[in-house]
Amino acid sequence: MLTAEVCEWVVGPHALPGEAVAVLKRHVLDTVGVMLAGSVSRPAEIARAVFPDRRALLLGLYGHIDDYDDTQLATRPESVYGLLTHPSVPALAALLAVGARCPCSGADFLTAFACATEAECRLADAIDPRHYREGFHSSGTLGTLAAALAACQLLHLDLKRTRIAIGIAASMAAGLRENFGTMTKGLHVGRAAQGGVEAADLAGRGWTATTEALEAPRGFFKAFGGGFDGTLVHGRLGNPWYYRDPGVSIKPHPGASLSHPAMWEMLRLALDHDLQPDQVDSVSVGTSSNVPNALIHHLPRDPYAAKFSMEYAVATILVRRRCGLRDYTPEAVLEPAVQDLLPKVSLVTDPVAEAAGFHRMLSRVTVRLRDGRVLFAEGDAGRGHPANPMDDEEVATKFVDCARWADVEDGGTRIASLVTRLEELTVEEVRELCQALP
């Protein structure tokens, strides 16, 4: 039975290989950084006023509100977009909340993060693609399960209680993709983190729930997706570790990953040809038919809509040669030079991209210039993709930028030093890390 297999693996003993430790710490550092950046957003301010005592919810919201957190890649061609969930934030938010009140070593903390996100990625890979295609936001649904598993480990729940926690979490999972491009998308992940922690706390105190929540006829996979492929889970947990193969992308831009391949190709064209906005007559971005199903905002006027706009992504690259946190402020989105370009950019279905499979994000960029020239570039691996990865220095630079955006004392140096030594941290140092985030 799948629920039993997953939970038994998660609660079992683990020895993380050195290469996995290095990759996992890179993702923890990246995720802590985006949490810091998100903590100074307007939605974070509102949420703190409404949910002042729900730490896991707030940390989850912080980590996803800017759409700057890492992204899982799918292993099969039929998986929608090749993207499944944002794995790190819900699990890490749960761990930071529980770790602030329950003593644990750095090694225990890192192992809990590794196991929870591994299970999350495998389950997200296994559920029928209908789950995402027809409207569920998997970071809210699968993220709730990951948060529960992470919390269960730090609370030292046994196998039976962990299975019950998954039963509780499965009934709390939620999130609709119709809310993409609004503040509520980030709330999905905040709720996932909070729901996971609450599920573990309830299970630890004797609450009851089904112990077969995932595979049961009326369970998670059937209700949320219509079915699942168990072969993508059986025998694959930690074999290899998902963060290593096929990998999890780290974002260089705070917006939808679906736009990142086109942004990377647009930047290369702009730099190679020294393109200026006034030279451009039109830009066409050809993708598979599923991409426009998520990038639903075409003439955005606010930052959250802009994050789900291929037109804005391409325009800001042309105008600024960059796309970072400062490019998703209300003022930046409304800058005339960018707004003037939006109607010149079109997102279209391309038969070559369609034939490449939904597990790829093939983007084919055609730029028509006023002087008659036509420029073309295509690719499916923007910067940060495992095939085009950000190196340690780039990830560290992103963290520093996020910490400065949040005006963190010492620029985040102490937090970064703790994450760098995570597997060696004492109980006191783990508590310091957990309490370092707002």
Side-chain angles (χ1 to χ4, degrees), residues 61-77:
L61 172 70
Y62 298 166
H64 193 58
I65 195 63
D66 287 321
D67 252 286
Y68 212 3
D69 48 327
D70 58 19
T71 309
Q72 175 193 0
L73 302 181
T75 65
R76 50 180 173 164

Side-chain angles (χ1 to χ4, degrees), residues 88 100 115 119 143 170 178 182 199 222-223 281 308 319 325 343 388 422 425:
S88 291
C115 293
E178 187 61 27
T182 73
K222 183 67 173 179
D281 184 62
F308 285 84
V319 171
L325 289 166
N388 184 15
L422 185 54
L425 297 186

Side-chain angles (χ1 to χ4, degrees), residues 222-396:
K222 183 67 173 179
F224 281 79
F228 68 103
D229 182 353
T231 65
L232 295 175
V233 180
H234 297 311
R236 296 199 181 195
L237 291 161
N239 182 36
W241 289 91
Y242 209 103
Y243 274 69
R244 292 279 296 164
D245 182 18
V248 175
S249 295
I250 291 179
K251 287 187 176 184
H253 311 298
S257 291
L258 295 170
S259 63
H260 290 190
M263 294 169 77
W264 178 252
E265 299 304 327
M266 187 69 256
L267 180 61
R268 292 201 302 115
L269 288 175
L271 294 176
D272 288 349
H273 298 276
D274 190 27
L275 294 182
Q276 302 303 316
D278 60 3
Q279 295 177 277
V280 174
D281 184 62
S282 68
V283 179
S284 174
V285 180
T287 66
S288 75
S289 59
N290 277 306
V291 173
N293 193 29
L295 301 185
I296 58 178
H297 298 281
H298 304 294
L299 298 172
R301 303 284 295 175
D302 71 80
Y304 301 102
K307 290 175 183 294
F308 285 84
S309 170
M310 181 68 83
E311 292 83 355
Y312 183 81
V314 168
T316 196
I317 288 291
L318 266 172
V319 171
R320 303 171 180 134
R321 303 291 199 267
R322 66 167 200 266
C323 191
L325 289 166
R326 55 182 168 161
D327 299 301
Y328 285 100
T329 64
E331 297 77 17
V333 171
L334 294 176
E335 182 181 341
V338 174
Q339 287 289 321
D340 289 347
L341 269 176
L342 296 181
K344 299 181 180 181
V345 182
S346 58
L347 175 60
V348 301
T349 298
D350 185 288
V352 174
E354 187 82 356
F358 297 155
H359 65 311
R360 294 178 60 186
M361 293 182 288
L362 184 61
S363 297
R364 310 183 81 229
V365 180
T366 302
V367 182
R368 299 184 183 278
L369 303 181
R370 290 186 174 182
D371 63 10
R373 286 182 295 157
V374 178
L375 308 177
F376 175 79
E378 67 176 2
D380 63 356
R383 194 62 168 171
H385 188 284
N388 184 15
M390 295 170 66
D391 59 29
D392 288 343
E393 183 177 352
E394 289 175 294
V395 175

Side-chain angles (χ1 to χ4, degrees), residues 57 109 233 396 404:
L57 184 152
F109 188 100
V233 180
R404 289 175 176 169

Side-chain angles (χ1 to χ4, degrees), residues 115-134:
C115 293
T117 52
E118 174 70 9
E120 175 188 16
C121 288
R122 295 295 173 188
L123 295 174
D125 203 29
I127 195 168
D128 191 284
R130 193 194 85 180
H131 175 71
Y132 192 89
R133 184 179 63 244
E134 296 189 9

